[in-house]
Amino acid sequence: MSDYLPVLILAIAALGFAIAPLALAWLWAKKFSPKKPGRDKNAIYECGLESKGDAWIQFRSEYYLYAIIFLIFDVETIFLLPFAVAFTGLSAFGFIEMMIFIFLLVAGLIWACMKGVLTWK
Amino acid sequence: MDEGLRSELQKQGVFTTTLEDLYNWGRKNSVWPLGFGLACCAIEMIAASMSRWDLARFGAEVFRPSPRQADLMIVAGTVTKKMAPQVVRLYNQMPEPKYVIAMGACAISGGPFKQGYNVLKGIDRFIPVDVHIPGCPPRPEALLHAFMTLQEKIDQQQLTGEGRARHLNADKPGEFPVPEFGEHNLEPPNNPAVWKAPKLARP
């Protein structure tokens, strides 16, 4: 335990090093600098312009479609590559399993295609 | 402490200072300007901050993108009447202590656009300017000189007493009224607490 005493001392010194300037600045401000809050100073900062409206607005969550399409191709690539490498040594059961997996992803792609995600507007 | 004793001690290798001097010394060597250019003078300001003129020598190379972190506003360029409210608002949003350098003919007086309908005839009509630099545009050396002048000014500010710096005086304002962009002019056209129209004596 006593081996760690220098570490503890160093930790306390480091903490003091970080806290002391902040504490000094705080004490200095208490003693000398009066607080001067105001309408502009407390306002939300926006390049000198007055901020308009509320920050709590609703976002259209249509981006999830792109995330799903990405996932289809991404996951497909990850599994297709080892599948192609190990193709000759694969049993019939493994092959059918892989086909089911690909069918599920293709079904997702067909769904996206029917939803009109793939057409560029 | 009187000067004689101080210099006597200094000869003996004892350096004495006051809290006020130490405070101002720290302050004047860490003036962070607001990254804020309005027109062509801003190019000279940028040049001054780059390696050739090297504003970093004065501890002022940290151009802050937010008024919340800035100490100094360099009004570099023409202040149009449409821009003036934003300039004043940015000044208000800066924390005390804050200083202003009006850089160039436009910022101090309207410059070549003084007779124009849409240019403010000097930013000192709305906010207190510490250093004015003439020139169209002033060279980076002129900005450095303004910086050194500002540093001298900061160095001489008092910590206590009647003549103490504005940011230490609770009675003095930290915010200045923001003008409105009116139909014909800014409303009000100037801040009477900061600027008064000079009386013209006609013979």
Side-chain angles (χ1 to χ4, degrees):
Chain A
M1 194 62 212
S2 63
D3 291 350
Y4 286 103
L5 196 64
V7 177
L8 186 73
I9 291 167
L10 205 68
I12 290 168
L15 214 64
F17 211 72
I19 291 172
L22 293 174
L24 260 172
W26 183 77
L27 282 173
W28 183 279
K30 268 255 184 272
K31 172 118 181 64
F32 290 107
S33 315
K35 281 200 168 67
K36 289 181 188 175
R39 201 180 138 266
D40 281 340
K41 209 174 199 176
N42 293 344
I44 302 163
Y45 156 65
E46 198 185 323
C47 315
L49 297 167
E50 275 186 321
S51 52
K52 287 202 176 87
D54 201 355
W56 292 96
I57 54 164
Q58 284 185 328
F59 280 98
R60 288 159 72 88
S61 58
E62 284 188 338
Y63 187 73
Y64 83 98
L65 286 173
Y66 297 95
I68 285 174
I69 300 282
F70 169 75
L71 205 70
I72 288 170
F73 287 104
D74 189 53
V75 174
E76 202 163 353
T77 318
I78 286 172
F79 283 101
L80 271 183
L81 200 71
F83 173 61
V85 170
F87 187 71
T88 47
L90 223 56
S91 64
F93 178 70
F95 177 76
I96 291 164
E97 217 171 31
M98 202 59 207
M99 282 300 121
I100 291 169
F101 170 69
I102 290 171
F103 168 75
L104 285 174
L105 288 180
V106 167
L109 190 63
I110 290 166
W111 168 81
C113 196
M114 279 165 69
K115 214 168 153 59
V117 181
L118 298 179
T119 50
W120 186 273
K121 278 174 285 191
Chain B
M1 178 179 260
D2 78 342
E3 276 306 311
L5 181 59
R6 179 184 290 197
S7 70
E8 195 59 42
L9 277 170
Q10 216 149 14
K11 271 179 212 152
Q12 301 298 320
V14 180
F15 183 73
T16 57
T17 185
T18 59
L19 204 58
E20 186 179 286
D21 284 347
L22 204 62
Y23 174 61
N24 285 340
W25 172 76
R27 249 152 37 84
K28 78 171 187 184
N29 289 309
S30 62
V31 180
W32 289 4
L34 183 63
F36 170 69
L38 290 173
C40 19
C41 279
I43 304 294
E44 301 294 315
M45 181 177 77
I46 294 160
S49 71
M50 289 294 145
S51 52
R52 184 161 179 182
W53 282 279
D54 198 15
L55 206 55
R57 288 175 291 165
F58 303 91
E61 77 281 16
V62 201
F63 276 80
R64 303 314 297 175
S66 161
R68 307 293 192 203
Q69 303 163 355
D71 305 306
L72 167 69
M73 176 184 250
I74 302 174
V75 184
T78 319
V79 186
T80 57
K81 283 178 182 168
K82 198 162 187 178
M83 193 63 189
Q86 275 70 262
V87 176
V88 178
R89 197 171 290 119
L90 279 175
Y91 178 73
N92 285 345
Q93 287 176 343
M94 282 160 60
E96 294 272 15
K98 50 191 170 185
Y99 301 93
V100 180
I101 290 178
M103 183 184 182
C106 295
I108 66 176
S109 69
F113 313 111
K114 191 175 174 69
Q115 307 298 329
Y117 64 95
N118 64 340
V119 171
L120 182 66
K121 293 158 187 65
I123 191 62
D124 53 0
R125 293 185 180 213
F126 288 108
I127 53 179
V129 175
D130 293 285
V131 185
H132 295 78
I133 328 172
C136 185
R139 288 198 40 93
E141 287 93 339
L143 183 59
L144 294 186
H145 183 247
F147 238 97
M148 289 155 80
T149 312
L150 181 70
Q151 286 188 324
E152 274 166 33
K153 186 171 180 174
I154 293 173
D155 206 27
Q156 277 155 19
Q157 285 192 319
Q158 291 166 12
L159 200 57
T160 49
E162 205 46 52
R164 63 187 187 273
R166 193 187 71 210
H167 69 280
L168 302 170
N169 196 335
D171 302 330
K172 293 195 175 166
E175 264 190 28
F176 292 82
V178 180
E180 293 256 328
F181 183 62
E183 197 175 349
H184 299 296
N185 199 351
L186 288 165
E187 289 162 11
N190 63 282
N191 180 0
V194 177
W195 187 85
K196 283 185 182 67
K199 284 215 170 65
L200 292 177
R202 294 189 193 281

